[in-house]
Amino acid sequence: METEKLQEIIANGIEHEYLKLNGDGRHFDLTIVSAAFNGLGKIQQHQLIYKVLGDLMKEDVHALNMKTFTPEEWAEKN
Amino acid sequence: MGDINAKIKEQITTNNIVLYMKGSPIFPQCGFSGRAADLLKQCGAKDYLSVDILQDPEMREGIKEFSNWPTIPQLYVKGEFIGGSDIMIELFESGKLKALVETAL
């Protein structure tokens, strides 16, 4: 799956302040900042993204390395 | 599907540390699984239960449904789902993984 296409799916699937996706067609690295993560643990944050991707995780996306941040965490980091 | 859930429950309750992975800690069959096993080793985990989902197709799908997590590897400590390789890396870098593993040795 092309990176641009996957980026578009994620971007349309979740409201976000920052989104960066790199990939080689099967393995992807995602950095995403969203207020939807507020109050959620890491696992729940990642599950939000997996819900957006749904069945894509079965075939198209072999591996997705995620770094999820709330706006607050992101501000602290930068 | 019932018996797979029962099998998983039994594994994660009778073993303090369980890593569902592709291959084994010594012969991982996927980079992410290998990384997860390596992190556990660095945290001092020695004789934990590793489950090679490549040997058990029903387990391979069952574990994803059990945890509502679509990828492998998956780490469980004291019956609780901790995460996949990216969360393990994050926890390792902050020292939390080592602290967690040490409570389960």
Side-chain angles (χ1 to χ4, degrees):
Chain A
M1 162 161 266
E2 302 106 29
T3 303
E4 294 69 31
K5 187 156 183 300
L6 185 58
Q7 178 150 341
E8 201 189 316
I9 291 168
I10 297 171
N12 294 332
I14 185 168
E15 171 258 331
H16 55 282
E17 286 178 24
Y18 174 82
L19 190 158
K20 188 165 179 302
L21 184 73
N22 300 314
D24 63 5
R26 280 177 62 69
H27 304 82
F28 295 89
D29 281 293
L30 170 69
T31 302
I32 181 164
V33 180
S34 170
F37 297 148
N38 288 336
L40 297 182
K42 275 296 159 206
I43 291 173
Q44 290 79 17
Q45 293 177 9
H46 287 218
Q47 281 173 327
L48 264 186
I49 304 295
Y50 283 134
K51 215 162 81 196
V52 168
L53 298 178
D55 286 344
L56 289 178
M57 289 309 297
K58 291 213 164 81
E59 294 306 326
D60 307 79
V61 178
H62 174 68
L64 176 59
N65 235 346
M66 279 192 245
K67 287 255 182 301
T68 54
F69 299 95
T70 60
E72 221 177 277
E73 283 168 344
W74 188 246
E76 266 161 39
K77 198 168 150 53
N78 296 319
Chain B
M1 200 43 124
D3 55 348
I4 264 292
N5 280 349
K7 188 174 172 190
I8 294 168
K9 273 203 187 91
E10 196 262 328
Q11 289 173 329
I12 64 173
T13 42
T14 51
N15 297 277
N16 265 349
I17 299 174
V18 185
L19 181 66
Y20 294 86
M21 65 181 292
K22 289 176 181 170
S24 67
I26 302 154
F27 297 110
Q29 300 301 307
C30 157
F32 291 102
S33 286
R35 188 71 194 281
D38 182 51
L39 289 179
L40 285 179
K41 197 168 138 214
Q42 289 184 56
C43 291
K46 289 195 186 55
D47 45 12
Y48 59 89
L49 176 63
S50 75
V51 178
D52 181 358
I53 52 96
L54 297 176
Q55 309 291 335
D56 185 344
E58 201 192 345
M59 173 64 82
R60 180 174 192 161
E61 290 318 313
I63 191 67
K64 292 176 186 174
E65 242 159 68
F66 181 86
S67 56
N68 184 24
W69 191 263
T71 57
I72 299 292
Q74 293 186 20
L75 174 67
Y76 290 75
V77 175
K78 293 194 276 189
E80 200 201 323
F81 177 48
I82 304 305
S85 58
D86 44 19
I87 288 180
M88 282 178 72
I89 290 164
E90 236 171 89
L91 291 173
F92 181 77
E93 281 163 359
S94 65
K96 287 186 185 135
L97 188 64
K98 191 165 194 297
L100 188 60
V101 165
E102 279 165 356
T103 66
L105 290 183

